[in-house]
């Protein structure tokens, strides 16, 4: 039997990366000192239970942390500082510790944290007699921090002589002959401590630390996860600030457990993806994420080597503010539909798009449009030229237009469908439909009788059809753009960063769209807008790696503070804590 072949697409990878960034946000802003991380299976990976949901290793290199402290805006840095101050208070100060005196002398070159499944936090019957076993005293998502130590005896002495608050309760017990100290305090975090070889282990739940001990004695670990070691060897970032891993099956189980969207265990088990791993690096004002997604070892799905999303940026004008482009629209749509069924955290239904098209045009997206839409495609936001007379703007165009471009495999069928679309908008919505020319190219304009949405459709080349909705922007790229998007310096920095062969590309000029309040972008919650205010542009590319994996790269151009924050070692170097 032939294996089912299906291309991956931008949607699933980008969603997973956002989950990595969001779910690991607390982990990301951590430590400070010494060496860099080697991109290979580490000793810490051999202690992490294989069922861990999310894992991150963070460098303690002080130079890299200083780079982070110079990026962003005063608001994001202030929020960062408040978060670290709270961690310092809960983990260090309340227990009588100082970083420089008590932590720095023994801490190694990186720390590794792992978020375990929420089932770990269920009450352990062996601890029912202790108040420490109450489920409400521990986080729902148990966190384990693995800290390499230079002198385990020094760490043990530090823990034994901790200046704990008088309200703190301490329980010492053993598990598989390993001594564990449990600490509960109303004034700080509740946590479990132990030492395994050259590592200090800190966990936010008694059961979590037992899982690590089980792994220490031979239970399945992250290091033995199918495809994990092989994938890491393909990530060649020099001296990354951090590495991360997302266990897709367990992450979907966790998401489904807390989602209102019903996703069965069988559906999750049927999905073919195993994991996402990547590195985070910082250079100047750029934060780069280099990652890889791979399939399960028994997957019946394989990826097709087709990295050809190169044409569309050449057809779009240099001023394009947002672009999503891919090498195959039909495959992109099929993957979007399939994967959206297994993303309970994402409140998005691709069929809402097809339902909207059906309701507004009386045509079926999958039957009337997709069959003749062949290979490359692009969805873009193009602003109105500053030289365009203001009287040409309609009251609804928001200063720009959405443009859709796609290669067609059957122009004759496409022409018939578009002619039917002309008839529908004219009869159903009373639009004026008029043929004209722009730059010598024949186009069809739709004009709303109420000065609402206007649209233009036509052909850029013999096999590329376009449709713009909003302001009259077709002249920006007809007959061809004076300068195309590939010559945009911002685009070069965040999309054209290395190998230009890619299957999907995404570009967003955050500063001139969301942050600038242009093009009708919806108002975001204050905390989300604060984070976006620190970003200038975002670029994202994906490319087929081989039949079982795909590579991706995300590049964020960040703002740089005019004056770097004053260094405060006591604030910027707390022990880790999940948030």
């Amino acid at each position: 039997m032939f294996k089912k072949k299906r291309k991956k697409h931008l949607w699933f990878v980008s969603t997973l990366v956002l989950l990595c960034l969001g779910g690991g946000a607390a982990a990301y802003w951590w430590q400070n000192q010494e060496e860099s991380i080697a991109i290979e299976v580490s000793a810490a990976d051999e202690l992490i239970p294989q069922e861990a949901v999310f894992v991150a290793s963070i460098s303690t290199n002080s130079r890299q942390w200083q780079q982070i402290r110079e990026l962003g805006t005063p608001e994001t840095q202030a929020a960062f500082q408040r978060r670290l101050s709270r961690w310092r208070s809960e983990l260090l100060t309340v227990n009588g510790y100082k970083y420089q005196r008590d932590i720095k002398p023994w801490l190694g070159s990186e720390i590794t944290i792992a978020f375990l499944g929420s089932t770990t936090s269920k009450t352990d019957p062996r601890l029912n007699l202790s108040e420490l076993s109450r489920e409400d005293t521990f986080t729902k998502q148990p966190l384990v921090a693995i800290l390499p130590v230079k002198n385990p005896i020094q760490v043990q002495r530090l823990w034994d002589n901790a200046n704990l608050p008088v309200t703190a309760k301490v329980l010492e017990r053993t598990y598989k002959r390993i001594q564990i100290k449990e600490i509960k305090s109303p004034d700080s975090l509740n946590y479990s401590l132990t030492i395994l070889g050259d590592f200090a282990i800190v966990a936010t739940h008694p059961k979590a630390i037992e899982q690590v001990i089980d792994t220490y004695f031979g239970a399945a670990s992250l290091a033995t996860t199918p495809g994990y070691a092989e994938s890491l060897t393909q990530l060649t970032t020099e001296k990354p600030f951090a590495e991360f891993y997302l266990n897709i099956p367990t992450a979907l189980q966790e998401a489904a457990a807390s989602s209102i969207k019903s996703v069965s265990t069988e559906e999750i088990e049927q999905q073919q993806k195993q994991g996402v791993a990547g590195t985070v690096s910082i250079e100047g004002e750029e934060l780069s994420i280099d990652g890889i997604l791979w399939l399960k070892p028994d997957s019946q799905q394989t990826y097709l080597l087709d990295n050809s999303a190169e044409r569309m940026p050449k057809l779009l004008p240099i001023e394009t503010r947002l672009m999503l482009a891919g090498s195959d629209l039909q495959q992109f749509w099929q993957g979007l539909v399939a994967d959206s069924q297994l993303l309970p955290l994402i409140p998005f239904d691709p069929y809402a798009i097809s339902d909207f098209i059906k309701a507004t045009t009386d045509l079926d997206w999958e039957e009337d449009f997709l069959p003749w839409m062949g290979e490359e495609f692009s969805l873009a936001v193009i602003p109105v030229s500053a030289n365009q007379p203001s009287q040409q703007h309609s009251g609804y165009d928001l200063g720009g237009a959405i443009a859709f471009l796609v290669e067609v495999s059957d122009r004759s069928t496409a022409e018939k469908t578009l002619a039917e679309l002309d008839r529908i908008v004219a009869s159903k919505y009373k639009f004026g439909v008029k043929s004209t020319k722009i730059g010598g190219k024949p186009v069809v304009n739709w004009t709303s009788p109420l000065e609402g949405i206007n649209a233009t459709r036509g052909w850029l080349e013999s096999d590329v059809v376009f449709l713009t909705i909003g302001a009259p922007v077709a002249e920006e790229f007809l007959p061809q753009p004076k300068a195309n998007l590939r010559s945009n310096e911002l685009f070069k920095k965040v999309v054209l960063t290395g190998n230009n062969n890619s299957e999907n590309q995404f570009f967003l000029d955050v500063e001139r769209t969301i942050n600038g309040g242009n093009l009708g972008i919806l108002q975001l919650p204050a905390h989300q807008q604060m984070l976006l205010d620190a970003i200038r542009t975002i670029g994202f590319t994906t490319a087929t790696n081989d039949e079982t994996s795909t590579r991706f790269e995300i590049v964020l151009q960040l703002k740089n503070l005019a004056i770097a924050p004053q260094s405060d070692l006591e604030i910027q170097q707390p022990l880790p804590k999940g948030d």
Side-chain angles (χ1 to χ4, degrees):
M1 181 179 293
F2 292 104
K3 289 186 177 181
K4 180 181 178 181
K5 289 183 177 285
R6 196 186 83 200
K7 299 179 184 179
K8 74 267 155 243
H9 50 85
L10 187 62
W11 167 262
F12 190 83
V13 177
S14 61
T15 299
L16 288 173
V17 172
L18 290 174
L19 287 175
C20 289
L21 294 176
Y28 179 78
W29 300 104
W30 253 321
Q31 298 290 11
N32 180 318
Q33 279 319 313
E34 295 193 351
E35 300 297 324
S36 61
I37 298 173
I39 308 175
E40 58 185 12
V41 174
S42 68
D45 293 337
E46 297 175 355
L47 293 176
I48 298 170
Q50 191 174 88
E51 62 271 22
V53 179
F54 179 81
V55 180
S57 294
I58 301 96
S59 170
T60 58
N61 185 298
S62 60
R63 293 183 298 275
Q64 291 179 310
W65 275 91
Q66 184 59 30
Q67 283 181 294
I68 288 180
R69 293 173 63 79
E70 295 172 359
L71 297 175
T73 64
E75 291 75 19
T76 58
Q77 284 296 337
F80 177 36
Q81 202 81 337
R82 288 193 299 270
R83 177 71 56 82
L84 293 181
S85 296
R86 180 167 63 84
W87 289 346
R88 177 190 62 172
S89 175
E90 292 178 340
L91 286 160
L92 297 177
T93 306
V94 73
N95 294 320
Y97 295 137
K98 289 182 177 291
Y99 178 82
Q100 292 285 357
R101 181 192 68 197
D102 302 315
I103 309 299
K104 179 181 176 181
W106 56 263
L107 183 64
S109 63
E110 68 183 48
I111 63 170
T112 298
I113 60 155
F115 292 92
L116 305 184
S118 57
T119 54
T120 299
S121 62
K122 293 181 179 179
T123 302
D124 185 341
R126 289 171 297 173
L127 299 177
N128 278 342
L129 297 179
S130 169
E131 293 186 10
L132 293 173
S133 66
R134 291 181 185 172
E135 192 168 346
D136 59 1
T137 64
F138 301 105
T139 60
K140 180 181 179 181
Q141 199 79 25
L143 170 72
V144 173
I146 299 176
L147 292 77
V149 299
K150 301 171 184 176
N151 188 333
I153 295 177
Q154 184 180 10
V155 179
Q156 185 66 58
R157 187 182 302 119
L158 180 70
W159 285 353
D160 291 341
N161 299 321
N163 184 24
L164 297 173
V166 294
T167 56
K169 296 182 180 181
V170 179
L171 169 67
E172 293 191 1
R173 63 187 180 94
T174 60
Y175 178 73
K176 294 187 176 179
R177 299 186 303 280
I178 300 295
Q179 185 179 16
I180 299 172
K181 177 178 288 188
E182 312 278 9
I183 299 175
K184 175 189 175 185
S185 172
D187 303 317
S188 65
L189 296 175
N190 304 306
Y191 49 91
S192 303
L193 311 169
T194 194
I195 293 177
L196 296 175
D198 293 329
F199 292 93
I201 313 298
V202 182
T204 60
H205 192 279
K207 186 64 177 176
I209 207 163
E210 290 183 6
Q211 285 184 267
V212 175
I213 294 173
D214 289 340
T215 305
Y216 178 71
F217 283 115
S221 70
L222 172 61
T224 61
T225 298
Y228 179 73
E230 296 82 355
S231 296
L232 284 190
T233 61
Q234 299 183 57
L235 301 176
T236 57
T237 305
E238 184 178 357
K239 296 182 179 180
F241 170 70
E243 295 177 47
F244 65 85
Y245 164 72
L246 180 70
N247 185 327
I248 295 175
T250 58
L252 290 174
Q253 291 171 0
E254 290 294 315
S258 59
S259 173
I260 60 174
K261 182 177 179 179
S262 176
V263 180
S264 69
T265 301
E266 290 74 18
E267 288 176 310
I268 293 175
E269 291 176 349
Q270 288 172 5
Q271 73 85 30
Q272 304 291 294
K273 298 172 179 65
Q274 175 62 55
V276 174
T279 62
V280 180
S281 58
I282 303 163
E283 184 174 348
E285 297 181 353
E286 291 183 0
L287 186 150
S288 300
I289 301 172
D290 181 23
I292 185 169
L293 177 150
W294 68 96
L295 301 174
K296 295 177 179 178
D298 59 350
S299 173
Q300 295 302 304
Q301 175 185 337
T302 58
Y303 293 142
L304 295 175
L305 187 63
D306 184 12
N307 300 321
S308 58
E310 301 177 3
R311 189 177 183 185
M312 291 301 158
K314 300 176 182 178
L315 300 176
L316 293 168
I318 191 172
E319 289 298 320
T320 300
R321 301 288 193 254
L322 179 151
M323 183 204 72
L324 167 64
S327 62
D328 191 316
L329 179 59
Q330 293 177 3
Q331 297 289 351
F332 183 93
W333 177 259
Q334 291 171 9
L336 179 62
V337 169
D339 289 334
S340 66
Q341 303 303 312
L342 292 173
L343 293 176
L345 281 182
I346 308 301
F348 176 78
D349 181 2
Y351 281 115
I353 297 175
S354 56
D355 290 344
F356 174 78
I357 292 173
K358 180 71 173 180
T360 56
T361 69
D362 300 328
L363 296 175
D364 189 281
W365 168 246
E366 293 190 340
E367 293 183 5
D368 297 320
F369 291 99
L370 274 182
W372 52 264
M373 292 181 174
E375 298 297 326
E376 291 194 51
F377 71 96
S378 178
L379 186 68
V381 173
I382 302 172
V384 175
S385 171
N387 299 323
Q388 191 174 115
S390 59
Q391 58 265 29
Q392 293 187 32
H393 298 189
S394 75
Y396 195 73
D397 64 43
L398 305 174
I402 297 173
F404 175 64
L405 288 66
V406 63
E407 286 184 348
V408 302
S409 57
D410 185 343
R411 177 158 177 164
S412 175
T413 302
E415 290 279 20
K416 292 178 182 178
T417 304
L418 294 173
E420 176 65 10
L421 193 58
D422 290 341
R423 185 193 66 79
I424 291 171
V425 297
S427 61
K428 185 174 182 177
Y429 299 103
K430 309 304 179 184
F431 272 55
V433 178
K434 181 179 179 180
S435 297
T436 185
K437 287 188 176 182
I438 297 178
K441 292 272 193 176
V443 299
V444 176
N445 285 331
W446 301 342
T447 305
S448 169
L450 302 176
E451 296 186 352
I453 297 177
N454 295 320
T456 300
R457 71 166 183 85
W459 294 85
L460 288 176
E461 297 178 358
S462 62
D463 63 341
V464 178
V465 67
F466 77 88
L467 171 68
T468 68
I469 300 176
V473 299
E475 65 182 37
E476 301 298 323
F477 53 81
L478 281 175
Q480 60 185 17
K482 295 177 181 178
N484 65 50
L485 181 58
R486 285 180 65 91
S487 61
N488 183 315
E489 291 301 321
L490 297 175
F491 185 82
K492 290 179 183 179
K493 288 181 179 179
V494 298
V495 176
L496 304 181
T497 59
N499 184 356
N500 293 343
N501 293 325
S502 59
E503 183 175 354
N504 297 291
Q505 296 179 346
F506 175 80
F507 169 73
L508 174 61
D509 186 335
V510 179
E511 189 69 5
R512 292 192 289 180
T513 53
I514 300 175
N515 294 346
N518 299 321
L519 303 177
I521 301 296
L522 295 177
Q523 187 69 34
L524 296 172
H527 66 284
Q528 295 179 9
Q529 185 61 56
M530 179 184 68
L531 294 176
L532 287 172
D533 283 340
I535 302 173
R536 298 185 189 278
T537 53
I538 299 174
F540 188 15
T541 58
T542 69
T544 303
N545 191 53
D546 53 39
E547 283 195 341
T548 61
S549 65
T550 181
R551 294 289 299 273
F552 62 88
E553 182 182 29
I554 301 175
V555 180
L556 283 73
Q557 280 280 334
L558 303 174
K559 294 179 182 177
N560 196 311
L561 292 175
I563 301 176
Q566 185 88 24
S567 177
D568 183 347
L569 296 180
E570 282 303 311
I571 289 181
Q572 69 172 309
Q573 307 197 49
L575 287 173
K577 166 187 176 290
D579 194 325

